[in-house]
Amino acid sequence: MLRRDLAAWWASPPGRYLLQWEQQRFDAAVANLFGYHALQLGLPELDALATNRMPHRWLALPEPLAAQPAPDTAPLPAALAASAGFERPVALITHAAALPFAAQSLDLVLLPHTLELSADPHAVLREVERVLVPEGRVVIAGLNPASLWGLRQCAGQWAERWGLTPPASDHLFVPETGDWIAPWRLRDWLRLLGLEIESTQTGAYRWPAHTAHWLERGAWLDQCGPRLWRVLGAAYFVVAVKRVRGMHLLGPAWKPRRALGPLPVAVARHTSPRTPEASQKTPSE
């Protein structure tokens, strides 16, 4: 039921708004990453590997995918319809903390909101670190609890906990997805696993509105947010690289020779052997 609720939310106006922002981030982050094997784990509604050029790219899900979206949801926009999860082939269904890959076998792993849906997100990160090759990258997208969306979600959770809302009411802004992991908490986890953060972005600053009309009314927040309250975006985007101690990338074995100007060239002089007759002649002859 959770998968169906999330599919309905991703097709709603705030879900489409967030997908569009994250699609742009993923397209820019993975376009110039090279290797052989790339894995997207979760969120089939997003084609996070669309611009990547690795020869082997897979979509894996931590749970079975419903055959059809909820009948009461609106279709995805044209820009996202081609990458909708119900039209993309799923390579495998696996537990996020037990990936069926050998150690150091993947060059790129994408986790779009995968940690929020996991019962043990730290175990998922440990598994990702295991399957990544040295200098491999993991790209993570998550919801920020320190944001307007996070406050709205927290208020709904407290209302449910204290019995202030009926059980069937739409009191949560996002369907229950577990704990939202704060960016600073994720940073500590990555550091403990030897994953060095390469870049961090925060975005989606509009207020938590369910309708497209009120979301558009908050478009000005996307212009002011990066300058005034950068860390308070509804979503964050992190790129981390696996560092291995004692490993150094070697450059080419040859080095271009510096130009030193023209060098002297030895020329062999050919001399004919002197005959005895020539040595006995005198200048008067």
Side-chain angles (χ1 to χ4, degrees):
M1 188 65 181
L2 176 61
R3 172 65 215 170
R4 190 177 183 87
D5 293 341
L6 284 176
W9 188 84
W10 287 119
S12 66
R16 297 179 186 182
Y17 162 66
L18 185 59
L19 280 179
Q20 290 176 354
W21 183 83
E22 292 181 350
Q23 185 70 60
Q24 295 174 359
R25 304 285 87 75
F26 276 107
D27 288 347
V30 306
N32 295 321
L33 297 182
F34 300 98
Y36 296 96
H37 305 97
L39 175 69
Q40 176 183 341
L41 184 58
L43 192 57
E45 290 82 3
L46 186 70
D47 191 359
L49 290 169
T51 61
N52 188 259
R53 291 170 284 179
M54 293 188 188
H56 305 288
R57 302 185 300 271
W58 302 295
L59 169 63
L61 296 183
E63 61 180 4
L65 183 65
Q68 295 293 335
D72 56 345
T73 61
L76 291 174
L80 298 173
S83 62
F86 306 103
E87 299 179 5
R88 295 181 57 207
V90 178
L92 68 154
I93 297 176
T94 178
H95 195 285
L99 299 177
F101 296 97
Q104 299 185 6
S105 60
L106 298 181
D107 300 279
L108 175 63
V109 177
L110 308 182
L111 302 177
H113 302 282
T114 309
L115 300 179
E116 298 154 7
L117 296 173
S118 175
D120 191 351
H122 194 268
V124 175
L125 286 178
R126 285 199 304 268
E127 183 69 1
V128 170
E129 190 275 337
R130 181 188 70 85
V131 300
L132 276 178
V133 301
E135 302 300 318
R137 284 169 172 78
V138 55
V139 184
I140 304 170
L143 292 171
N144 184 12
S147 63
L148 294 178
W149 291 28
L151 293 177
R152 172 66 176 81
Q153 186 79 356
C154 184
Q157 291 174 344
W158 276 100
E160 180 184 26
R161 183 175 303 175
W162 289 95
L164 302 178
T165 57
S169 64
D170 187 16
H171 55 279
L172 294 179
F173 183 69
V174 181
E176 188 59 60
T177 58
D179 295 334
W180 293 11
I181 302 172
W184 54 88
R185 185 182 178 191
L186 177 63
R187 189 182 304 113
D188 292 339
W189 289 356
L190 294 174
R191 186 180 298 110
L192 288 175
L193 294 173
L195 298 171
E196 179 181 318
I197 294 181
E198 197 171 56
S199 64
T200 303
Q201 301 181 54
T202 309
Y205 296 95
R206 302 185 189 184
W207 45 56
H210 287 285
T211 62
H213 172 73
W214 285 105
L215 275 176
E216 291 299 325
R217 293 285 297 271
W220 61 274
L221 293 171
D222 285 335
Q223 305 296 329
C224 302
R227 297 192 302 269
L228 300 180
W229 48 82
R230 178 177 301 177
V231 298
L232 301 181
Y236 57 84
F237 188 84
V238 177
V239 179
V241 58
K242 179 179 178 179
R243 302 296 188 191
V244 178
R245 293 184 178 180
M247 176 181 175
H248 300 280
L249 295 179
L250 299 178
W254 57 270
K255 293 183 179 180
R257 186 175 182 180
R258 296 180 59 186
L260 300 177
L263 297 178
V265 180
V267 179
R269 178 178 297 177
H270 177 72
T271 58
S272 59
R274 300 180 61 184
T275 61
E277 295 78 5
S279 60
Q280 294 177 0
K281 291 183 179 181
T282 60
S284 61
E285 298 178 349

